[in-house]
Amino acid sequence: MRLGVLISGSGSNLQAMLDRVAAGHLPGVEIALVLANTPEAYGLKRAHHAGVAAVCVDHRHFASRAAFDQALVERLLDAGVDTVALAGFMRLLTPVVLEAFPGRVLNIHPAILPAFPGIHAQAQQAAYGVRLAGCTVHFVDEHMDHGPIIIQAAVPAMPQDTEASLGARILALEHRIYPQALAWLAAGRIIVHGRQVEVVGARYTGEGPLWTVPALEPPFISEYPV
Amino acid sequence: MRLGVLISGSGSNLQAMLDRVAAGHLPGVEIALVLANTPEAYGLKRAHHAGVAAVCVDHRHFASRAAFDQALVERLLDAGVDTVALAGFMRLLTPVVLEAFPGRVLNIHPAILPAFPGIHAQAQQAAYGVRLAGCTVHFVDEHMDHGPIIIQAAVPAMPQDTEASLGARILALEHRIYPQALAWLAAGRIIVHGRQVEVVGARYTGEGPLWTVPALEPPFISEYPV
């Protein structure tokens, strides 16, 4: 898999991918290009530190979304990219990109989709008073935060949480589930039927018995897996 | 706590409450009245079998929501009810009920709110292809499925799930979290600040380390709790 990572900002998910590749945890995955839509993106520095090719394609220099997307596609294809991962990329993609890489564009969103799409999802979750927050890796379609879901993670949210505390808890999960999804895709284990994404050989029971927040107490607790 | 349970149909959550009371798992909670808005509700039979007072107040006999709600309130107050639990109650409550029992009206919804409000939530979750589904117990406000959240539970959803298979998995959690929420309320452990519900002394870390669906695999897995 030759991966192109699209960023707009800090790029912490990019860093997680770079670290995993360096550690040998993503066999068959090479990060061929990091592409930012603004020169201020700190993720560009991360790419340089890791010795990965990086480029800025400033969306403000283009008259239309389609023209911008065409420039993105050209840079990505030039780098031999076959899979695109959005990692905090703040521009909505048009079909130009999606048709250049059909079924190969992924995104991560810091909420349990379809709840809390859009920006400031961490702050929204904290303000709403949810008890389960989380994140989602999904294939990208023409609608924001909408394509078929590959993996979701849940974290507890608590009354005293702020955007920062909850965001940090979610981010720790993001840094695991995004590389995991890429590993599955690179291994050819992902099959998509409509909205359903099957990961061949994956375990669907989660990592614990029951998951409630707050935790259940006896006599309501159960030792039996769901 | 003298509980009034409002139902429209089968009443499986009512049955879970009846069973928990009979088993002594809900000390201080008495189910004072089961009230259905239709004579067909099977939950009325469940109440009779358990020796609990039951009544039908048919919404079709009333000219307005407010008049119907007024009749509900009269029956509930006559029975000495101080707390109201909606268990599959299909009528939207007006402020008439909410003001008669301020901060004491609860509902359970078979999704991780605010995702998938409204009817057929289980089918909606299966069709959407979520990987995390679940249920929510919350206080009722004037908006459907919207009030402050007390407890949420997550269950895995899989590509092969139907409405029935996913619904059954969610229901098993409903039958735990609803009695748990009632136990906390009866014990005076619930404090509400705006949208945030604090359960005094409750554990917010959930029952397992990380919770993702599909499950993470090495080297992305973690043995450490969140």
Side-chain angles (χ1 to χ4, degrees):
Chain A
M1 174 188 286
R2 288 182 63 80
L3 188 65
V5 184
L6 270 50
I7 61 169
S8 295
S10 161
S12 77
N13 270 292
L14 165 65
Q15 190 64 56
M17 294 172 196
L18 291 166
D19 294 345
R20 292 288 186 174
V21 167
H25 294 169
L26 284 171
V29 176
E30 179 182 347
I31 300 174
L33 183 67
V34 170
L35 193 158
N37 67 299
T38 162
E40 310 305 319
Y42 184 74
L44 290 169
K45 284 202 177 72
R46 298 184 187 273
H48 294 319
H49 283 141
V52 169
V55 69
C56 174
V57 180
D58 196 324
H59 66 276
R60 295 168 299 179
H61 297 169
F62 295 83
S64 70
R65 280 192 196 281
F68 171 65
D69 278 23
Q70 193 53 48
L72 294 182
V73 169
E74 282 163 19
R75 298 300 198 129
L76 292 165
L77 291 176
D78 278 350
V81 161
D82 55 57
T83 307
V84 178
L86 309 185
F89 190 66
M90 300 304 285
R91 309 300 298 172
L92 191 62
L93 294 179
T94 71
V96 168
V97 178
L98 303 180
E99 285 159 17
F101 303 97
R104 303 293 295 192
V105 182
L106 292 79
N107 183 43
I108 187 157
H109 183 72
I112 305 174
L113 291 173
F116 306 106
I119 61 177
H120 304 315
Q122 302 93 328
Q124 288 189 58
Q125 287 166 95
Y128 196 93
V130 293
R131 288 291 159 257
L132 285 172
C135 44
T136 302
V137 179
H138 64 96
F139 285 108
V140 177
D141 64 12
E142 323 84 74
H143 307 289
M144 186 181 63
D145 299 326
H146 181 262
I149 290 167
I150 301 169
I151 178 172
Q152 296 188 292
V155 298
M158 325 176 182
Q160 62 270 33
D161 265 325
T162 59
E163 172 180 13
S165 61
L166 185 57
R169 196 174 304 126
I170 293 171
L171 196 66
L173 268 293
E174 293 181 49
H175 293 166
R176 285 205 169 82
I177 70 170
Y178 212 172
Q180 172 69 91
L182 292 171
W184 282 330
L185 188 60
R189 290 174 62 186
I190 288 182
I191 304 175
V192 183
H193 310 276
R195 279 204 66 78
Q196 302 296 333
V197 177
E198 177 193 351
V199 180
V200 178
R203 194 162 58 87
Y204 280 86
T205 55
E207 286 186 41
L210 290 177
W211 234 84
T212 76
V213 183
L216 295 175
E217 299 163 0
F220 307 104
I221 202 168
S222 167
E223 293 80 21
Y224 300 100
V226 174
Chain B
M1 173 189 287
R2 289 182 62 80
L3 188 64
V5 185
L6 270 50
I7 60 169
S8 295
S10 160
S12 77
N13 270 292
L14 165 65
Q15 190 64 56
M17 293 172 196
L18 291 166
D19 294 346
R20 292 290 186 173
V21 167
H25 294 170
L26 284 171
V29 176
E30 179 182 347
I31 300 175
L33 183 68
V34 172
L35 192 159
N37 68 299
T38 163
E40 311 305 319
Y42 185 75
L44 290 169
K45 285 203 177 69
R46 298 183 188 273
H48 294 318
H49 283 142
V52 169
V55 70
C56 173
V57 181
D58 196 324
H59 67 276
R60 294 167 300 179
H61 296 168
F62 295 84
S64 70
R65 280 192 196 282
F68 171 65
D69 277 23
Q70 194 53 46
L72 295 182
V73 169
E74 282 165 19
R75 296 300 197 129
L76 292 164
L77 291 176
D78 279 350
V81 162
D82 54 57
T83 306
V84 178
L86 309 185
F89 191 67
M90 301 304 285
R91 309 300 298 171
L92 191 61
L93 294 180
T94 71
V96 168
V97 178
L98 303 180
E99 283 159 20
F101 304 96
R104 303 292 294 192
V105 183
L106 291 79
N107 183 43
I108 188 157
H109 183 71
I112 304 175
L113 291 173
F116 305 105
I119 61 177
H120 304 315
Q122 302 93 329
Q124 288 189 59
Q125 287 166 96
Y128 196 93
V130 294
R131 287 293 158 255
L132 285 172
C135 45
T136 302
V137 179
H138 63 96
F139 287 107
V140 177
D141 65 12
E142 323 83 74
H143 307 289
M144 185 182 65
D145 298 326
H146 181 262
I149 290 168
I150 301 169
I151 178 172
Q152 297 189 292
V155 298
M158 324 178 182
Q160 63 269 33
D161 266 326
T162 60
E163 171 180 14
S165 61
L166 184 57
R169 194 173 306 125
I170 293 171
L171 196 66
L173 267 293
E174 292 182 49
H175 292 167
R176 286 206 168 83
I177 70 170
Y178 212 171
Q180 172 70 89
L182 292 171
W184 283 329
L185 189 60
R189 291 174 61 187
I190 288 183
I191 304 174
V192 183
H193 311 274
R195 281 203 64 81
Q196 303 297 334
V197 178
E198 178 192 352
V199 180
V200 178
R203 193 162 58 85
Y204 280 87
T205 54
E207 288 187 38
L210 289 177
W211 234 85
T212 76
V213 182
L216 295 175
E217 300 163 0
F220 307 104
I221 203 170
S222 169
E223 294 81 23
Y224 300 100
V226 173

